Amino acid sequence: MTTLSEKMSDQSTRQASTRVSQSVFDGSRLRVVLLVDVNDGAQQQFLEAYEQLCNQVAQVPGHVSDQLCQSIENPSQWLITSEWESAPPFLTWVNSEEHVRMVEPLHSCVRDTRSLRFHIVRETGGEPAGAASRRRLQASPRIGDGVIRHALTFTVRPGSEEKVAKILADYASPQARVDETTRLCRTSLFMHGNRVVRAIEVRGDLLAALRHVARQPEVRAVEEAINPYLEQERDLNDQESARVFFTRAALPAVHHVTADESAEGERQALYYPARPDCGMRLAELLAQQDEAATEDPDSPVLRSTIFQRDDVVVRLVDVRPGTGARVPLPEPGRQAALSALLDGEPVGMDLVTDRRSPDA
């Protein structure tokens, strides 16, 4: 049976590769690279924590292999690489509560980590007969727009929504320039009920941008101001508490497509409540829908980004301005498939603020 990922790969990868800056749904294998800086004297503790983690990860569906390396120049620097059958099973695991608990022993012995994810495009060496179907390569290089998209989501206590929206709307924008190569381009903040979604666009290094924003006094003041209203408590002065909160709040972009890079659009966000364990499948169907929309010259969709974590799926769409356009409904057959994965109707989120850097 042909999977949805295979359909996207076979039918649209060749066309989409010239305009999709990010997609996890082409069915190709994934290489994950984790750079780790271990605390002085904690190498043995780190190794023991890794071996425990390694045994647990080996049981995760979609995991193929992993490798641990130590720098020959600096013993505190380690490299963990892992291979996965495709991106969706990795993202399902890495965004789960199980993963948060599983990696906890590592964080007591490391100073810093950096995770990089890559689809495999080419490789050398032979492979066993019949293995080709299990070892898919990305069909062609994708050409992006140089912008990295990421989002955070969290919930606030019911009844506090109006106060939180005011706090989040009234703060001064942080400095857009991070360093010589990194700049904040745009921040869009939406709410629906007690759920907050903050989508950011960065040109350059996403991690550097997130750290830069967290250090800005105006942002720090806003984060402290909303602390009393959060459903998940946190202490920003406690490194581990802050790390766990933002790990759980991360809402990665799993697909982005652009029909017209030059046109400015009106930004909308839609929240899709997925049935348990259906978030990734739902995001994949929405990705197919947006691919079709951006190929239609009559469609109001200029660009779309889909964010997904667990059963939270958010679709951020720019539509052609001035026409009162709304995101088009999918075709009846696709609508039926989406409905089977939904735990309620999709809803438009309320725009709290949408800020662009002047030279973005």
Side-chain angles (χ1 to χ4, degrees):
M1 179 180 293
T2 303
T3 67
L4 292 170
S5 296
E6 289 169 340
K7 287 180 180 177
M8 288 195 69
S9 178
D10 295 341
Q11 296 174 2
S12 64
T13 298
R14 184 175 63 256
Q15 298 173 359
S17 64
T18 62
R19 55 190 173 85
V20 174
S21 62
Q22 182 177 3
S23 182
V24 306
F25 295 122
D26 66 2
S28 58
R29 283 180 294 137
L30 183 74
R31 173 70 64 184
V32 180
V33 178
L34 183 65
L35 304 173
V36 183
D37 187 12
V38 177
N39 292 326
D40 295 336
Q43 281 83 359
Q44 185 60 38
Q45 179 187 353
F46 169 75
L47 183 59
E48 292 171 358
Y50 166 78
E51 289 177 344
Q52 180 180 355
L53 175 63
C54 182
N55 292 332
Q56 295 171 317
V57 175
Q59 308 304 315
V60 177
H63 176 264
V64 177
S65 64
D66 54 61
Q67 193 174 56
L68 176 66
C69 309
Q70 186 177 22
S71 169
I72 62 173
E73 299 168 335
N74 183 350
S76 71
Q77 294 179 348
W78 294 70
L79 173 70
I80 302 173
T81 66
S82 62
E83 185 177 318
W84 296 75
E85 292 175 358
S86 62
F90 167 76
L91 292 173
T92 297
W93 171 70
V94 81
N95 292 327
S96 68
E97 283 297 311
E98 178 187 14
H99 176 263
V100 173
R101 294 189 298 269
M102 201 179 290
V103 301
E104 188 173 351
L106 285 176
H107 287 281
S108 62
C109 52
V110 302
R111 273 189 292 262
D112 193 22
T113 61
R114 181 179 179 85
S115 178
L116 305 170
R117 296 94 182 258
F118 303 86
H119 274 147
I120 300 174
V121 180
R122 298 287 186 272
E123 66 178 358
T124 59
E127 67 178 12
S133 63
R134 301 191 304 271
R135 300 177 62 81
R136 294 175 61 92
L137 301 181
Q138 181 179 306
S140 59
R142 289 187 291 270
I143 300 175
D145 56 5
V147 175
I148 302 172
R149 296 165 175 87
H150 187 69
L152 296 171
T153 186
F154 50 87
T155 55
V156 296
R157 295 176 182 174
S160 69
E161 295 90 347
E162 188 174 337
K163 293 179 182 178
V164 170
K166 180 173 175 54
I167 293 170
L168 294 174
D170 289 347
Y171 72 96
S173 297
Q175 184 180 21
R177 184 179 182 274
V178 178
D179 54 35
E180 294 296 329
T181 60
T182 301
R183 179 172 296 274
L184 300 172
C185 298
R186 189 172 185 176
T187 301
S188 305
L189 199 143
F190 291 84
M191 291 185 68
H192 169 66
N194 69 332
R195 179 168 294 281
V196 178
V197 172
R198 179 189 292 152
I200 64 172
E201 298 176 3
V202 173
R203 192 175 298 277
D205 186 328
L206 175 63
L207 185 58
L210 293 176
R211 288 174 172 169
H212 164 80
V213 169
R215 290 193 296 264
Q216 301 305 300
E218 55 272 30
V219 173
R220 182 80 179 202
V222 169
E223 297 289 352
E224 294 287 358
I226 66 172
N227 263 353
Y229 307 111
L230 296 175
E231 286 198 312
Q232 179 190 341
E233 294 184 359
R234 68 178 181 186
D235 179 0
L236 294 177
N237 295 314
D238 182 316
Q239 185 175 357
E240 183 63 13
S241 174
R243 183 193 68 79
V244 171
F245 178 86
F246 286 110
T247 296
R248 289 184 171 134
L251 190 64
V254 295
H255 188 84
H256 174 80
V257 64
T258 297
D260 188 340
E261 292 186 6
S262 60
E264 293 292 333
E266 295 177 353
R267 178 149 288 190
Q268 301 175 21
L270 293 95
Y271 171 65
Y272 294 79
R275 293 183 185 275
D277 302 321
C278 291
M280 185 64 74
R281 178 86 177 275
L282 176 61
E284 186 174 10
L285 283 179
L286 291 172
Q288 289 184 318
Q289 176 182 325
D290 285 341
E291 289 289 335
T294 54
E295 291 172 2
D296 180 0
D298 296 325
S299 170
V301 176
L302 294 172
R303 59 193 66 86
S304 173
T305 307
I306 297 167
F307 301 93
Q308 182 266 333
R309 179 190 180 92
D310 296 332
D311 301 326
V312 176
V313 181
V314 174
R315 186 169 165 230
L316 193 66
V317 185
D318 290 346
V319 298
R320 299 185 188 281
T323 61
R326 288 293 178 262
V327 178
L329 294 173
E331 300 169 357
R334 189 167 285 154
Q335 178 63 52
L338 286 172
S339 297
L341 303 174
L342 287 167
D343 189 20
E345 292 297 317
V347 292
M349 304 189 76
D350 297 324
L351 178 64
V352 176
T353 181
D354 184 26
R355 306 182 184 198
R356 285 179 175 271
S357 171
D359 55 350

